[in-house]
Amino acid sequence: MPEFIPPIPKDFHGSMGEKIVYDAFRSLPDKYTVFHSFAWTDEENKSFKKQGEADFLIYDPDRGLLVIEVKSGEISIENEEWFQTGGDGHRRLMHKNPYFQAEESKFYILKQVLERRLPRNEKCPINTCLF
């Protein structure tokens, strides 16, 4: 079983999808590390501190990092707007594009974490996906 950070999540923010994905990740090999609800604050711009959160980060020492954004229910796109239909059947406009949400976290991790903390000649591939 992989290492989970935190070892036991406090909650899944009301997302059944996050719980399902978390449980599925329990079957990953030991070499993986799974970060749940990775929150970040970009303090580089002093006048506006940007904040974000990645539902999951999966670290594989052989392949790098994967940033995962999880959405429950049915997801649809119309005229470049994202909609989510929950278990209650109610369709809602999503205020954030989930793909861009994952990308924001990816670029924060690249710039503020990897580039600053890895030795100059080391690389760590990073990518995003939606569940």
Side-chain angles (χ1 to χ4, degrees):
M1 184 164 71
E3 177 182 5
F4 282 88
I5 300 173
I8 300 170
K10 293 178 185 172
D11 63 41
F12 292 99
H13 315 287
S15 171
M16 183 55 73
E18 282 187 34
K19 178 163 181 11
I20 291 168
V21 170
Y22 179 89
D23 289 341
F25 288 155
R26 297 173 65 81
S27 65
L28 288 171
D30 293 349
K31 71 176 182 173
Y32 286 82
T33 303
V34 177
F35 299 86
H36 175 254
S37 194
F38 181 85
W40 54 268
T41 302
D42 187 352
E43 298 184 5
E44 208 167 76
N45 183 344
K46 302 297 181 197
S47 62
F48 176 74
K49 293 181 181 180
K50 191 170 197 169
Q51 297 181 343
E53 183 255 356
D55 292 333
F56 291 96
L57 292 180
I58 306 295
Y59 175 66
D60 174 345
D62 300 324
R63 298 184 202 165
L65 278 167
L66 183 61
V67 179
I68 301 172
E69 181 62 30
V70 177
K71 297 298 179 197
S72 299
E74 182 181 321
I75 305 298
S76 59
I77 305 169
E78 294 176 22
N79 299 322
E80 299 182 25
E81 291 184 316
W82 291 66
F83 294 89
Q84 181 175 24
T85 304
D88 60 2
H90 186 68
R91 186 172 185 248
R92 297 168 186 86
L93 174 65
M94 297 172 73
H95 297 290
K96 281 190 168 184
N97 173 326
Y99 177 76
F100 291 147
Q101 201 174 345
E103 286 286 291
E104 278 183 336
S105 291
K106 177 179 90 172
F107 288 116
Y108 170 80
I109 293 164
L110 269 172
K111 186 175 182 184
Q112 301 297 328
V113 179
L114 298 178
E115 288 180 4
R116 289 185 176 192
R117 297 203 168 103
L118 284 178
R120 286 187 184 259
N121 60 348
E122 283 196 37
K123 301 286 183 209
C124 179
I126 184 169
N127 215 329
T128 55
C129 77
L130 302 177
F131 269 114

